[in-house]
Amino acid sequence: MTQHLRAEIDQVAEASIAALRAPSILNTQPWRWRLAGNHAELWADRSRQLDGLDPDGRLLLLSCGTALHHATVALLAAGFAADIARLPDPARPDLVARIRQGQPCPPDNRLYRSIYRRRTDRRPFSDDRPSQAVLDELRAAAERHGVHLHVVRDDQLTAFASAVAHAGDVEHGDARFRDDLLTWTTRTREDRDGVSARSAVPAVRRTIAPRDFELARPAALDPGPGTDRGTVYAVLAVDAEEPADWVAAGEALSDVWLTLTAGGLAASPISEVVEVVAVRVALRRLLGGVGHPAIALRVGVPVDGIDPVPASVRRSGTDTIGPPGQ
Ligand SMILES: Cc1cc2nc3c(=O)[nH]c(=O)nc-3n(C[C@H](O)[C@H](O)[C@H](O)COP(=O)(O)O)c2cc1C
């Protein structure tokens, strides 16, 4: 193997390691990386798909999309563009992407630093509203992936809040949804995945409550003094409902989230509204012509001086990154 090829593999291997920090639905981390020749393959891991919450695998592909974008950010920090073939083989639909080191470019660390600072922050945010300039930046980040970011307008907020509440009620009344929550909130320390009580907040008065994980143990993250009065709710929407659109939505979610983290903001996704089909359809109608909702997100200014949210667990590279065919 030439020195040159070795260096290429090292860069994509490094990128796949950074991508392990990507966010995923219920922290399922439904991906596998395979290092092959001078490129890496990102595979969807169907054994980690949620039967109740995500029977079509939309959120699974969205989660793989966040990992793919994280990898491109890591390559960019090393001074290379990413050369990506998305869903390159129709005969193997779980092969999400093939990624290789592209042209050299000036190293860009801005979003790379956010990979390690980003958290799902479910606490109420402050009274301050994210500025219009930042929201425009987030819209541009989504559009880079052909995905539209729609900020829920004040006159749409009550209907949006009802949609979130209704989706939560439907899910808590359905054994299949509850099974998924139970499985992924009771993982062992060795599993290194799932959602733990350390990242969940107890119920407090607020317009839109984050998902109730029905945890066996009390939610342990102090909600702090935030009010959510300045919080902005946004929906990422796609033009079509194909696997490629969910991957793109995941890349956009990652880009938006790392961008807002770099700008000192915080966020947490709201995916209940797309998990329940009737609510997803109603949300599409409510937003009127922006496309198919892929995921919603609350975005806000963290309360001044508040502690960072603890980092959530991840599986190791040994468990998720390997040679081809395994
Ligand atoms: C597709 C997707 C859907 C998600 N849906 C929700 C959600 O509805 N509610 C929530 O509180 N967090 C949601 N999350 C956040 C994950 O639970 C979180 O990324 C994961 O637990 C890892 O934690 P971290 O983001 O702090 O690293 C979602 C994340 C992704 C990528």
Side-chain angles (χ1 to χ4, degrees), residues 20-31 50 53-54 58-64 66 70 115 117-122 171 184 193-196 199-200 209-213 250 253-254 257 267-275 294-298 309-314:
L20 299 181
R21 290 295 329 153
S24 59
I25 178 73
L26 295 183
N27 202 15
T28 49
Q29 305 165 47
W31 48 65
L50 304 168
L53 259 65
D54 188 29
R58 293 160 183 250
L59 297 172
L60 172 137
L61 285 178
L62 222 136
S63 300
C64 290
T66 69
H70 271 51
I115 288 183
R117 285 179 37 223
R118 185 209 58 80
R119 306 277 188 266
T120 296
D121 191 342
R122 303 182 175 96
E171 295 198 343
W184 292 95
D193 53 18
V195 174
S196 89
S199 70
R211 188 196 285 276
D212 172 5
F213 289 100
L253 175 64
S254 169
W257 207 340
S268 70
I270 305 172
S271 56
E272 300 97 297
V273 283
V274 297
E275 291 158 11
I295 194 160
L297 197 63
R298 47 188 290 283
V309 174
S312 57
V313 289
R314 288 297 185 278

Coordinates of all heavy atoms in Angstrom, one line a residue, residues 20-31 50 53-54 58-64 66 70 115 117-122 171 184 193-196 199-200 209-213 250 253-254 257 267-275 294-298 309-314, ligand 1:
L20 N -18.9 9.1 15.5 CA -19.6 8.3 16.5 C -20.3 9.2 17.5 O -21.2 8.8 18.2 CB -18.6 7.4 17.3 CG -17.8 6.4 16.4 CD1 -16.9 5.6 17.3 CD2 -18.8 5.5 15.7
R21 N -19.9 10.5 17.5 CA -20.5 11.5 18.4 C -21.9 12.0 17.9 O -22.6 12.8 18.5 CB -19.6 12.7 18.7 CG -18.4 12.5 19.5 CD -18.6 12.1 21.0 NE -19.8 12.6 21.7 CZ -20.4 12.0 22.7 NH1 -19.9 10.9 23.2 NH2 -21.5 12.5 23.3
A22 N -22.2 11.6 16.7 CA -23.4 12.1 16.0 C -24.7 11.8 16.9 O -24.7 10.7 17.5 CB -23.6 11.5 14.6
P23 N -25.7 12.7 16.8 CA -26.9 12.4 17.6 C -27.8 11.3 16.8 O -27.7 11.2 15.6 CB -27.7 13.7 17.6 CG -27.1 14.4 16.4 CD -25.7 14.0 16.1
S24 N -28.6 10.5 17.5 CA -29.4 9.6 16.8 C -30.7 9.4 17.6 O -30.7 9.7 18.8 CB -28.7 8.2 16.7 OG -28.3 7.7 18.0
I25 N -31.7 8.9 17.0 CA -33.0 8.7 17.7 C -32.8 7.7 18.9 O -32.3 6.6 18.7 CB -34.1 8.2 16.7 CG1 -35.4 7.9 17.4 CG2 -33.6 6.9 15.9 CD1 -36.2 9.1 17.8
L26 N -33.2 8.2 20.0 CA -33.0 7.4 21.3 C -31.6 6.9 21.5 O -31.4 5.9 22.2 CB -34.1 6.3 21.4 CG -35.5 6.6 21.4 CD1 -36.4 5.4 21.6 CD2 -35.9 7.6 22.6
N27 N -30.7 7.6 20.9 CA -29.3 7.2 21.0 C -29.0 5.8 20.6 O -28.3 5.0 21.2 CB -28.7 7.5 22.4 CG -27.2 7.6 22.5 OD1 -26.6 7.8 21.4 ND2 -26.6 7.5 23.6
T28 N -29.8 5.3 19.6 CA -29.6 4.0 19.1 C -28.3 3.8 18.3 O -27.9 2.6 18.1 CB -30.8 3.6 18.1 OG1 -31.0 4.7 17.2 CG2 -32.1 3.4 18.9
Q29 N -27.8 4.9 17.8 CA -26.5 4.8 17.0 C -26.6 3.7 15.9 O -25.8 2.7 15.9 CB -25.3 4.5 17.9 CG -25.2 5.5 19.1 CD -24.2 5.1 20.2 OE1 -23.1 4.6 19.9 NE2 -24.7 5.2 21.4
P30 N -27.6 3.8 15.0 CA -27.9 2.7 14.1 C -27.1 2.7 12.9 O -27.5 2.7 11.8 CB -29.4 3.0 13.7 CG -29.4 4.5 13.7 CD -28.5 5.0 14.8
W31 N -25.8 2.6 13.1 CA -24.8 2.7 12.0 C -23.7 1.7 12.2 O -23.4 1.3 13.3 CB -24.3 4.1 11.8 CG -23.8 4.7 13.0 CD1 -22.7 4.4 13.8 CD2 -24.4 5.9 13.7 NE1 -22.6 5.2 14.9 CE2 -23.6 6.1 14.8 CE3 -25.5 6.7 13.4 CZ2 -23.9 7.2 15.7 CZ3 -25.8 7.7 14.3 CH2 -25.0 8.0 15.4
L50 N -36.3 1.1 15.2 CA -37.4 1.1 16.2 C -38.7 0.7 15.5 O -39.2 1.4 14.7 CB -37.5 2.5 16.8 CG -36.2 3.1 17.4 CD1 -36.4 4.5 17.7 CD2 -35.9 2.3 18.7
L53 N -41.7 3.3 16.9 CA -41.6 4.7 16.6 C -41.2 4.9 15.1 O -41.5 6.0 14.6 CB -40.4 5.2 17.4 CG -40.7 6.0 18.7 CD1 -41.4 5.2 19.7 CD2 -39.5 6.6 19.3
D54 N -40.5 3.9 14.5 CA -39.9 4.2 13.2 C -40.0 3.0 12.2 O -39.0 2.5 11.8 CB -38.4 4.6 13.5 CG -37.7 5.1 12.2 OD1 -38.4 5.7 11.3 OD2 -36.5 4.9 12.2
R58 N -37.3 5.9 8.7 CA -37.0 7.3 8.4 C -36.0 7.8 9.4 O -35.0 8.5 9.0 CB -38.2 8.1 8.4 CG -39.3 7.8 7.5 CD -40.6 8.4 7.9 NE -41.6 8.1 7.0 CZ -42.2 8.9 6.2 NH1 -41.9 10.2 6.3 NH2 -43.2 8.5 5.4
L59 N -36.3 7.7 10.6 CA -35.4 8.3 11.7 C -34.1 7.6 11.7 O -33.1 8.1 12.1 CB -36.1 8.3 13.0 CG -37.4 9.2 13.0 CD1 -38.2 9.1 14.3 CD2 -37.1 10.7 12.7
L60 N -34.1 6.3 11.4 CA -32.8 5.5 11.3 C -31.9 6.2 10.2 O -30.8 6.4 10.4 CB -33.1 4.1 11.0 CG -32.0 3.2 10.7 CD1 -32.1 1.8 11.4 CD2 -31.9 2.9 9.2
L61 N -32.5 6.4 9.0 CA -31.7 7.0 8.0 C -31.3 8.5 8.3 O -30.2 8.9 8.0 CB -32.5 7.0 6.6 CG -32.5 5.6 6.0 CD1 -33.3 5.6 4.7 CD2 -31.1 5.1 5.7
L62 N -32.3 9.2 9.0 CA -31.9 10.5 9.4 C -30.7 10.5 10.4 O -29.8 11.3 10.3 CB -33.2 11.1 10.1 CG -33.5 12.5 9.8 CD1 -35.0 12.6 9.6 CD2 -33.1 13.4 10.9
S63 N -30.7 9.5 11.3 CA -29.6 9.4 12.2 C -28.3 9.1 11.5 O -27.3 9.6 11.8 CB -29.9 8.3 13.2 OG -31.1 8.6 14.0
C64 N -28.4 8.2 10.4 CA -27.2 7.9 9.6 C -26.7 9.2 8.9 O -25.5 9.4 8.8 CB -27.5 6.8 8.6 SG -27.7 5.2 9.4
T66 N -26.9 12.2 10.0 CA -26.1 13.0 11.0 C -24.7 12.5 11.1 O -23.7 13.3 11.2 CB -26.8 13.1 12.4 OG1 -26.6 11.9 13.1 CG2 -28.2 13.5 12.4
H70 N -21.3 14.5 10.2 CA -20.2 14.7 11.1 C -18.9 14.2 10.5 O -17.8 14.9 10.7 CB -20.5 13.8 12.4 CG -21.2 14.5 13.5 ND1 -22.4 15.2 13.2 CD2 -21.0 14.6 14.8 CE1 -22.9 15.7 14.4 NE2 -22.0 15.3 15.3
I115 N -18.7 19.4 17.3 CA -19.0 17.9 17.4 C -18.9 17.5 18.9 O -19.7 16.7 19.4 CB -18.0 17.1 16.5 CG1 -18.4 17.3 15.1 CG2 -18.1 15.6 16.9 CD1 -17.6 16.4 14.1
R117 N -18.8 19.5 21.6 CA -19.6 20.4 22.5 C -21.1 20.2 22.4 O -21.8 20.6 23.3 CB -19.2 21.9 22.2 CG -17.8 22.3 22.7 CD -17.5 23.7 22.4 NE -18.6 24.6 22.5 CZ -19.0 25.6 21.7 NH1 -18.2 25.8 20.6 NH2 -20.0 26.3 21.8
R118 N -21.6 19.8 21.3 CA -23.0 19.7 21.0 C -23.6 18.7 22.0 O -23.1 17.6 22.3 CB -23.2 19.2 19.6 CG -24.7 19.1 19.2 CD -24.9 18.1 18.1 NE -24.5 16.8 18.6 CZ -25.3 16.0 19.4 NH1 -26.4 16.4 19.8 NH2 -24.8 14.8 19.8
R119 N -24.8 19.0 22.5 CA -25.6 18.1 23.3 C -27.1 18.2 23.0 O -27.5 19.3 22.5 CB -25.5 18.4 24.8 CG -24.1 18.6 25.4 CD -23.5 17.2 25.8 NE -22.3 17.4 26.5 CZ -21.1 17.3 25.9 NH1 -21.0 17.1 24.6 NH2 -20.0 17.4 26.6
T120 N -27.9 17.2 23.3 CA -29.3 17.4 23.3 C -29.6 18.1 24.6 O -29.4 17.5 25.7 CB -30.0 16.1 23.2 OG1 -29.7 15.5 21.9 CG2 -31.5 16.3 23.3
D121 N -30.1 19.4 24.6 CA -30.4 20.1 25.8 C -31.9 20.3 25.9 O -32.5 21.1 25.2 CB -29.7 21.5 25.7 CG -29.7 22.2 27.0 OD1 -30.5 21.8 27.9 OD2 -28.9 23.1 27.2
R122 N -32.5 19.5 26.8 CA -33.9 19.5 27.0 C -34.4 20.5 28.0 O -35.6 20.6 28.3 CB -34.4 18.1 27.3 CG -33.9 17.0 26.3 CD -34.4 15.6 26.6 NE -34.0 14.7 25.5 CZ -32.9 14.0 25.5 NH1 -32.1 14.0 26.5 NH2 -32.7 13.2 24.4
E171 N -48.6 8.2 21.5 CA -47.5 7.3 21.7 C -47.7 6.6 23.1 O -47.4 5.4 23.2 CB -46.2 8.0 21.6 CG -46.0 8.6 20.2 CD -44.5 8.9 19.9 OE1 -43.7 9.0 20.8 OE2 -44.2 9.0 18.7
W184 N -35.0 1.3 25.1 CA -33.8 2.2 24.9 C -33.6 3.2 26.1 O -32.7 4.0 26.0 CB -34.0 3.0 23.6 CG -33.8 2.0 22.4 CD1 -34.8 1.4 21.8 CD2 -32.6 1.5 21.9 NE1 -34.3 0.5 20.8 CE2 -32.9 0.5 20.9 CE3 -31.2 1.7 22.2 CZ2 -31.9 -0.1 20.2 CZ3 -30.2 1.1 21.5 CH2 -30.6 0.1 20.5
D193 N -25.3 2.9 24.9 CA -26.2 3.5 24.0 C -27.5 3.8 24.8 O -27.6 3.6 26.0 CB -26.5 2.6 22.7 CG -26.9 1.2 23.1 OD1 -27.4 1.0 24.3 OD2 -26.9 0.3 22.2
G194 N -28.5 4.3 24.1 CA -29.8 4.6 24.8 C -29.8 5.9 25.6 O -28.8 6.6 25.6
V195 N -31.0 6.3 26.1 CA -31.1 7.6 26.8 C -31.2 7.3 28.3 O -31.9 6.4 28.7 CB -32.5 8.2 26.3 CG1 -32.7 9.5 27.1 CG2 -32.4 8.6 24.8
S196 N -30.4 8.1 29.0 CA -30.4 7.9 30.5 C -31.0 9.0 31.2 O -31.2 10.1 30.6 CB -28.9 7.7 30.9 OG -28.4 9.0 31.3
S199 N -29.8 12.8 31.2 CA -30.0 13.8 30.2 C -31.5 14.3 30.1 O -31.8 15.1 29.2 CB -29.5 13.3 28.8 OG -30.4 12.3 28.4
A200 N -32.3 13.7 31.0 CA -33.7 14.1 31.0 C -34.1 15.0 32.1 O -33.4 15.0 33.2 CB -34.6 12.8 31.1
A209 N -43.5 20.7 26.1 CA -42.6 19.8 26.9 C -41.8 18.9 26.0 O -42.3 18.4 25.0 CB -43.5 19.0 27.9
P210 N -40.6 18.6 26.4 CA -39.8 17.6 25.7 C -40.4 16.2 25.9 O -41.3 16.0 26.8 CB -38.4 17.7 26.2 CG -38.5 18.3 27.5 CD -39.8 19.1 27.6
R211 N -40.0 15.3 25.0 CA -40.6 13.9 25.1 C -40.6 13.3 26.5 O -39.6 13.5 27.2 CB -39.7 13.0 24.2 CG -40.3 11.6 24.0 CD -39.3 10.7 23.4 NE -39.0 10.9 22.0 CZ -39.7 10.4 21.0 NH1 -40.7 9.7 21.3 NH2 -39.3 10.6 19.8
D212 N -41.7 12.7 26.9 CA -41.7 12.0 28.2 C -41.2 10.6 27.9 O -41.8 9.8 27.3 CB -43.1 12.0 28.7 CG -43.3 11.1 30.0 OD1 -42.2 10.6 30.4 OD2 -44.4 10.9 30.4
F213 N -40.0 10.3 28.4 CA -39.3 9.0 28.1 C -39.8 7.9 29.0 O -39.4 6.8 28.9 CB -37.8 9.2 28.3 CG -37.1 10.0 27.3 CD1 -36.8 11.3 27.5 CD2 -36.9 9.4 26.0 CE1 -36.2 12.1 26.5 CE2 -36.2 10.2 25.0 CZ -35.9 11.5 25.3
G250 N -31.0 14.3 7.7 CA -30.1 14.0 8.8 C -28.8 14.9 8.6 O -28.3 15.4 9.6
L253 N -29.8 18.3 9.6 CA -30.0 18.4 11.1 C -28.6 18.6 11.7 O -28.4 19.4 12.6 CB -30.7 17.1 11.6 CG -30.8 17.0 13.2 CD1 -31.7 18.2 13.7 CD2 -31.4 15.7 13.6
S254 N -27.7 17.8 11.3 CA -26.3 17.9 11.9 C -25.7 19.2 11.6 O -25.1 19.9 12.5 CB -25.4 16.8 11.3 OG -24.1 17.0 11.6
W257 N -27.4 21.9 13.7 CA -27.1 21.7 15.1 C -25.7 22.1 15.4 O -25.4 22.8 16.4 CB -27.4 20.3 15.5 CG -27.8 20.0 16.9 CD1 -27.6 20.9 18.0 CD2 -28.4 18.9 17.4 NE1 -28.1 20.3 19.1 CE2 -28.6 19.1 18.8 CE3 -28.9 17.7 16.9 CZ2 -29.2 18.1 19.6 CZ3 -29.5 16.7 17.7 CH2 -29.6 16.9 19.0
A267 N -30.0 23.2 21.5 CA -31.2 22.7 20.8 C -31.6 21.3 21.3 O -30.8 20.6 21.9 CB -31.0 22.6 19.3
S268 N -32.8 20.9 21.1 CA -33.2 19.5 21.2 C -34.3 19.2 20.2 O -35.2 20.0 19.9 CB -33.7 19.1 22.6 OG -34.9 19.7 22.9
P269 N -34.2 18.0 19.5 CA -35.2 17.6 18.5 C -36.5 17.2 19.1 O -36.6 16.8 20.3 CB -34.5 16.4 17.8 CG -33.1 16.3 18.3 CD -33.1 17.0 19.7
I270 N -37.5 17.4 18.3 CA -38.9 16.9 18.7 C -39.3 16.0 17.5 O -39.7 16.5 16.5 CB -39.9 18.1 18.8 CG1 -39.3 19.1 19.8 CG2 -41.2 17.6 19.2 CD1 -40.2 20.4 19.8
S271 N -39.2 14.7 17.7 CA -39.5 13.8 16.5 C -40.9 13.2 16.7 O -41.4 12.6 15.7 CB -38.4 12.8 16.2 OG -38.1 12.0 17.3
E272 N -41.5 13.3 17.8 CA -42.9 12.7 18.0 C -43.8 13.2 16.9 O -44.6 12.4 16.4 CB -43.6 13.2 19.3 CG -42.8 12.8 20.5 CD -42.0 14.0 21.0 OE1 -41.1 14.4 20.3 OE2 -42.3 14.5 22.1
V273 N -43.7 14.4 16.4 CA -44.6 15.0 15.4 C -44.5 14.3 14.1 O -45.4 14.5 13.2 CB -44.5 16.5 15.3 CG1 -45.1 17.2 16.4 CG2 -43.0 16.9 15.1
V274 N -43.4 13.7 13.8 CA -43.3 13.0 12.5 C -43.4 11.4 12.7 O -43.7 10.7 11.8 CB -41.9 13.2 11.8 CG1 -41.8 14.7 11.4 CG2 -40.7 12.8 12.6
E275 N -43.3 11.0 14.0 CA -43.5 9.5 14.2 C -44.9 9.1 14.1 O -45.2 8.0 13.6 CB -42.9 9.2 15.6 CG -41.4 9.3 15.8 CD -41.0 9.5 17.2 OE1 -41.8 9.4 18.1 OE2 -39.8 9.9 17.4
A294 N -39.7 16.5 8.3 CA -38.7 15.4 8.6 C -38.4 15.3 10.0 O -38.2 14.2 10.6 CB -37.4 15.6 7.8
I295 N -38.3 16.4 10.7 CA -38.1 16.5 12.1 C -38.3 17.9 12.6 O -38.2 18.9 11.8 CB -36.6 16.0 12.5 CG1 -36.5 15.7 14.0 CG2 -35.6 16.9 12.0 CD1 -35.4 14.8 14.4
A296 N -38.6 18.1 13.9 CA -38.7 19.4 14.4 C -37.6 19.6 15.5 O -37.1 18.6 16.0 CB -40.1 19.6 15.1
L297 N -37.4 20.8 15.8 CA -36.3 21.2 16.7 C -36.6 22.4 17.5 O -37.2 23.3 17.0 CB -35.1 21.5 15.7 CG -33.7 21.5 16.2 CD1 -33.2 20.2 16.6 CD2 -32.8 22.0 15.0
R298 N -36.3 22.4 18.8 CA -36.4 23.6 19.6 C -35.0 24.2 19.7 O -34.0 23.4 19.9 CB -37.0 23.4 20.9 CG -36.6 22.2 21.7 CD -37.4 21.9 23.0 NE -37.2 22.9 24.0 CZ -36.2 23.0 24.8 NH1 -35.2 22.1 24.7 NH2 -36.1 23.9 25.7
V309 N -24.7 20.3 29.6 CA -25.4 19.0 29.8 C -24.3 17.9 29.7 O -23.4 18.0 28.9 CB -26.4 18.8 28.6 CG1 -27.0 17.3 28.7 CG2 -27.5 19.8 28.7
P310 N -24.3 16.9 30.6 CA -23.3 15.8 30.5 C -23.3 15.1 29.1 O -24.4 15.0 28.6 CB -23.6 14.9 31.6 CG -24.9 15.3 32.2 CD -25.3 16.6 31.6
A311 N -22.2 14.7 28.7 CA -22.1 14.0 27.4 C -22.8 12.7 27.5 O -22.7 12.0 28.5 CB -20.6 13.8 27.0
S312 N -23.5 12.3 26.5 CA -24.2 11.0 26.5 C -23.2 9.9 26.0 O -22.2 10.2 25.3 CB -25.5 11.0 25.7 OG -25.2 11.4 24.4
V313 N -23.5 8.7 26.3 CA -22.6 7.6 26.0 C -22.6 7.3 24.5 O -23.5 7.6 23.8 CB -22.9 6.3 26.7 CG1 -22.6 6.4 28.2 CG2 -24.4 5.9 26.5
R314 N -21.5 6.6 24.0 CA -21.4 6.2 22.6 C -20.7 4.8 22.6 O -19.8 4.6 23.5 CB -20.6 7.1 21.8 CG -21.3 8.4 21.4 CD -22.5 8.2 20.6 NE -23.1 9.5 20.2 CZ -23.8 10.3 21.0 NH1 -24.1 9.9 22.2 NH2 -24.3 11.5 20.6
Ligands
LIG1 C1 -33.6 11.6 14.4 C2 -33.5 12.0 15.8 C3 -34.7 12.2 16.6 C4 -34.6 12.6 17.9 N1 -35.8 12.8 18.6 C5 -35.8 13.3 19.8 C6 -37.0 13.6 20.5 O1 -38.1 13.5 20.0 N2 -36.9 14.1 21.8 C7 -35.7 14.3 22.4 O2 -35.7 14.7 23.5 N3 -34.5 14.0 21.8 C8 -34.5 13.5 20.5 N4 -33.4 13.2 19.8 C9 -32.1 13.4 20.5 C10 -31.5 12.1 20.9 O3 -32.2 11.5 22.0 C11 -30.0 12.3 21.3 O4 -29.3 12.7 20.1 C12 -29.3 11.1 21.8 O5 -29.9 10.7 23.0 C13 -27.8 11.3 22.1 O6 -27.6 12.4 23.0 P1 -26.8 13.7 22.5 O7 -27.5 14.3 21.4 O8 -26.8 14.6 23.7 O9 -25.4 13.3 22.1 C14 -33.4 12.8 18.5 C15 -32.2 12.7 17.7 C16 -32.3 12.4 16.4 C17 -31.0 12.3 15.6

